[in-house]
């Protein structure tokens, strides 16, 4: 029942109650199954969102936020950035939504830019996720940032040890 995950005011919102169960299902599939098992739901959601006409500006923002996340779901499933990543970036900037932008920055390895710029994007994403206490994504970003050290002349083992401790303390479920 989606009412467990949505507050009363959110469950009464047409855009949220209509699309969030599918988004929860996609995220659940990513966590518990193979990511490619989510493709049909992602395509269905893409079609539904593109045909949805919001009743008000609030629902337009919600719809556009869901479109942004669904594009990032496509990036994750396809293991490539392309137009979906560019569109997600544009939407996140247009919506002026820091968390959506952080989600886009998580995929900096698909950006056509220098390693330094990719590192900076991951650092920005990590900082945003930490600001909003989204520890699992912050740790993901830090891990990916540290992995870039393997392509350099310097590997700081202490940073990896600190990350392991932080992951164990902040998100013990990641260690399972």
């Amino acid at each position: 029942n989606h009412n467990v995950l949505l507050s009363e005011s959110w469950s009464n919102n047409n855009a949220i109650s209509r699309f969030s169960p599918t988004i929860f299902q996609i995220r659940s599939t990513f966590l518990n199954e193979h990511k490619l098992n989510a493709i049909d739901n992602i395509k269905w959601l893409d079609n539904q969102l593109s045909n949805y006409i919001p009743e008000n500006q609030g629902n337009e923002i919600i719809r556009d936020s869901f479109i942004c996340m669904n594009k990032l779901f496509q990036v994750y499933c396809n293991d490539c950035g392309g137009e979906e990543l560019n569109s997600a970036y544009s939407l996140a900037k247009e919506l002026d939504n820091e968390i959506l932008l952080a989600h886009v920055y998580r995929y900096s390895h698909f950006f056509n830019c220098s390693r330094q710029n990719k590192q900076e994007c991951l650092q920005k994403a990590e900082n945003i996720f930490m600001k909003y206490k989204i520890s699992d994504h912050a740790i993901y970003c830090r891990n990916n940032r540290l992995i870039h050290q393997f392509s350099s002349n310097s590997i700081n083992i202490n940073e990896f040890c600190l990350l392991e401790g932080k992951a164990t303390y902040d998100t013990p479920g990641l260690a399972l």
Side-chain angles (χ1 to χ4, degrees):
N1 187 338
H2 73 277
N3 288 330
V4 171
L5 299 172
L6 297 174
S7 68
E8 185 176 336
S9 64
W10 279 29
S11 65
N12 290 330
N13 179 297
N14 181 37
I16 293 174
S17 64
R18 182 172 178 181
F19 301 119
S20 60
T22 304
I23 291 172
F24 290 142
Q25 187 175 10
I26 291 167
R27 290 289 299 139
S28 177
T29 300
F30 288 165
L31 294 172
N32 299 305
E33 300 176 33
H34 193 279
K35 64 185 177 182
L36 296 181
N37 292 346
I39 288 179
D40 288 339
N41 282 332
I42 292 169
K43 288 179 182 176
W44 180 88
L45 184 61
D46 187 50
N47 183 52
Q48 294 297 307
L49 289 167
S50 63
N51 291 320
Y52 175 70
I53 299 170
E55 311 79 49
N56 55 53
Q57 184 181 11
N59 281 357
E60 183 177 347
I61 292 169
I62 292 167
R63 180 206 55 201
D64 291 349
S65 298
F66 286 166
I67 289 172
C68 182
M69 282 308 299
N70 203 46
K71 290 188 178 300
L72 294 174
F73 293 160
Q74 292 171 37
V75 169
Y76 177 68
C77 283
N78 296 328
D79 284 322
C80 69
E83 186 55 39
E84 286 84 12
L85 187 58
N86 292 335
S87 294
Y89 176 77
S90 295
L91 270 170
K93 290 294 273 184
E94 181 182 315
L95 291 165
D96 194 26
N97 186 307
E98 211 173 27
I99 295 174
L100 287 176
L101 198 54
H103 280 289
V104 172
Y105 289 156
R106 284 178 43 214
Y107 294 102
S108 68
H109 54 281
F110 292 127
F111 293 172
N112 186 16
C113 62
S114 70
R115 180 181 300 139
Q116 179 64 32
N117 286 345
K118 292 175 185 182
Q119 292 284 77
E120 289 169 5
C121 287
L122 287 169
Q123 182 65 62
K124 287 178 189 177
E126 180 184 345
N127 292 342
I128 293 167
F129 288 133
M130 291 305 295
K131 175 180 173 181
Y132 291 98
K133 298 181 179 11
I134 307 172
S135 298
D136 56 333
H137 289 312
I139 289 167
Y140 171 89
C141 292
R142 183 178 295 178
N143 181 65
N144 283 353
R145 197 167 42 80
L146 292 177
I147 287 173
H148 280 276
Q149 291 181 11
F150 294 122
S151 302
S152 72
N153 295 330
S154 174
I155 298 173
N156 186 334
I157 298 299
N158 281 344
E159 288 186 49
F160 284 95
C161 291
L162 290 171
L163 175 62
E164 179 186 23
K166 183 163 185 56
T168 302
Y169 178 78
D170 289 351
T171 54
L174 287 178
L176 297 176

